[in-house]
């Protein structure tokens, strides 16, 4: 967060931030400089990816902006040592290039402390395409090499609120998408898939977990992740 703020300061003031030193005359705020162009036109969020650069998105800057860490060779080697398995080609080829707290997960695994995987899918169509399946293909590999439970949340309630769908459509998409996810080959004895529309009203334990998480996650954490 601090690095991101310093980058924003430099883009606005035309100079690096220095503690206890007020800025001099700020640089013109025209959008003609390369930094200003990249800051404006390199845009990534959960729904949109856009850039005007012929080189594409600067992912190193994106890692800084999102406050995550780069998946480097050292981390990949540690995963191989810990699991005894060759790292997935999504890691070796840099398709997955950034992480949050993977070292903590490896610490837990090496110390034989239990953990589980958690992911999800916002069902917005009857079938999932290859792009949708990539994170699930990788999650299948993680479940196999770490031999851990997996929870998959189908956020059909979110899609009902954000998309032009009826409740029945959102729920039916969740069921159909779950079939596609199951086809990835997850361990049937260690995988739990659920629909928000089912469990929010049906399980008091579900809502208790929701409020526990709400209490421990700050706005800045959510903003950094999303």
């Amino acid at each position: 967060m601090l690095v991101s703020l310093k980058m924003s300061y430099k883009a606005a003031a035309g100079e690096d931030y220095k503690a206890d030193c007020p800025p001099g005359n700020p640089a013109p705020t025209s959008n003609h400089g390369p930094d200003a162009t990249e800051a404006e036109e390199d845009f990534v969020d959960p729904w949109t990816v856009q850039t005007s650069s012929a080189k594409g998105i600067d992912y190193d800057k994106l890692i800084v902006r999102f406050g995550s860490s780069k998946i480097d060779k050292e981390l990949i080697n540690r995963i191989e040592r810990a699991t005894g398995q060759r790292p997935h080609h999504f890691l070796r080829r840099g398709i997955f290039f950034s992480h949050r707290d993977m070292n903590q997960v490896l610490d837990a695994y090496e110390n034989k402390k239990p953990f589980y995987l958690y992911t999800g899918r916002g069902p917005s169509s009857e079938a999932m395409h290859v792009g949708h399946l990539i994170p699930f293909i990788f999650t299948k590999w993680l479940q196999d090499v770490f031999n851990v439970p997996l929870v998959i949340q189908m956020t059909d309630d979110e899609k009902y609120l954000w998309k032009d769908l009826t409740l029945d459509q959102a729920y039916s998409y969740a069921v159909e998408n779950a079939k596609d996810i199951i086809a990835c080959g997850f361990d049937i004895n260690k995988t739990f898939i659920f629909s928000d529309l089912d469990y929010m009203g049906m399980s008091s334990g579900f809502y208790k977990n929701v409020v526990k998480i709400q209490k421990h996650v700050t706005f800045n954490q959510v903003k950094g992740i999303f």
Side-chain angles (χ1 to χ4, degrees), residues 103-168:
N103 285 307
Q104 291 186 30
V105 173
L106 292 170
D107 288 344
Y109 184 71
E110 290 166 351
N111 289 297
K112 298 185 173 7
K113 293 182 178 179
F115 65 92
Y116 65 95
L117 302 172
Y118 165 76
T119 188
R121 161 74 181 152
S124 56
S125 60
E126 289 185 4
M128 293 167 62
H129 58 60
V130 172
H132 296 144
L133 287 170
I134 283 176
F136 290 100
I137 292 169
F138 185 61
T139 301
K140 164 70 165 62
W141 180 81
L142 291 173
Q143 184 183 55
D144 288 346
V145 298
F146 288 114
N147 192 27
V148 289
L150 166 65
V151 176
I152 301 174
Q153 180 175 6
M154 308 298 288
T155 56
D156 40 13
D157 55 343
E158 176 197 12
K159 289 303 176 183
Y160 167 71
L161 295 171
W162 281 86
K163 297 280 188 178
D164 185 19
L165 299 173
T166 65
L167 276 173
D168 287 342

Side-chain angles (χ1 to χ4, degrees), residues 5 17 21 27 31 54 98 102 121 130-131 141 146 155 168 179:
L5 289 171
Y17 172 80
C21 181
N31 297 326
S98 178
M102 186 63 188
R121 161 74 181 152
V130 172
W141 180 81
F146 288 114
T155 56
D168 287 342
K179 295 176 185 177

Side-chain angles (χ1 to χ4, degrees), residues 8-224:
S8 299
Y9 177 93
K10 184 175 182 179
E15 59 186 14
D16 288 324
Y17 172 80
K18 296 176 183 176
D20 302 318
C21 181
N25 294 324
T29 56
S30 68
N31 297 326
H32 301 304
D35 289 343
T37 301
E38 288 178 9
E40 274 197 358
E41 299 183 8
D42 259 22
F43 182 80
V44 177
D45 70 8
W47 305 275
T48 307
V49 177
Q50 66 183 35
T51 181
S52 64
S53 171
K55 296 179 181 178
I57 297 288
D58 187 331
Y59 285 99
D60 287 333
K61 286 187 178 179
L62 196 64
I63 288 170
V64 172
R65 198 177 303 163
F66 276 75
S68 57
S69 302
K70 191 169 186 175
I71 296 176
D72 54 18
K73 185 65 176 173
E74 182 180 347
L75 180 63
I76 293 174
N77 288 341
R78 186 183 177 194
I79 292 171
E80 184 169 13
R81 289 194 305 271
T83 63
Q85 302 284 335
R86 191 180 186 205
H88 196 280
H89 57 275
F90 286 175
L91 289 174
R92 302 196 311 271
R93 297 179 183 179
I95 294 173
F96 284 82
F97 62 90
S98 178
H99 74 99
R100 283 178 181 271
D101 301 327
M102 186 63 188
N103 285 307
Q104 291 186 30
V105 173
L106 292 170
D107 288 344
Y109 184 71
E110 290 166 351
N111 289 297
K112 298 185 173 7
K113 293 182 178 179
F115 65 92
Y116 65 95
L117 302 172
Y118 165 76
T119 188
R121 161 74 181 152
S124 56
S125 60
E126 289 185 4
M128 293 167 62
H129 58 60
V130 172
H132 296 144
L133 287 170
I134 283 176
F136 290 100
I137 292 169
F138 185 61
T139 301
K140 164 70 165 62
W141 180 81
L142 291 173
Q143 184 183 55
D144 288 346
V145 298
F146 288 114
N147 192 27
V148 289
L150 166 65
V151 176
I152 301 174
Q153 180 175 6
M154 308 298 288
T155 56
D156 40 13
D157 55 343
E158 176 197 12
K159 289 303 176 183
Y160 167 71
L161 295 171
W162 281 86
K163 297 280 188 178
D164 185 19
L165 299 173
T166 65
L167 276 173
D168 287 342
Q169 282 177 318
Y171 181 74
S172 68
Y173 287 170
V175 172
E176 293 305 311
N177 284 192
K179 295 176 185 177
D180 293 339
I181 293 168
I182 290 168
C184 290
F186 293 105
D187 186 335
I188 191 172
N189 297 311
K190 294 183 178 180
T191 303
F192 175 58
I193 306 176
F194 70 95
S195 149
D196 280 357
L197 289 175
D198 269 344
Y199 278 82
M200 185 65 81
M202 190 170 71
S203 169
S204 60
F206 182 91
Y207 188 64
K208 287 176 182 176
N209 278 339
V210 169
V211 294
K212 283 180 184 177
I213 293 167
Q214 284 178 337
K215 190 169 185 178
H216 288 87
V217 178
T218 67
F219 172 75
N220 283 337
Q221 285 175 310
V222 174
K223 185 178 178 182

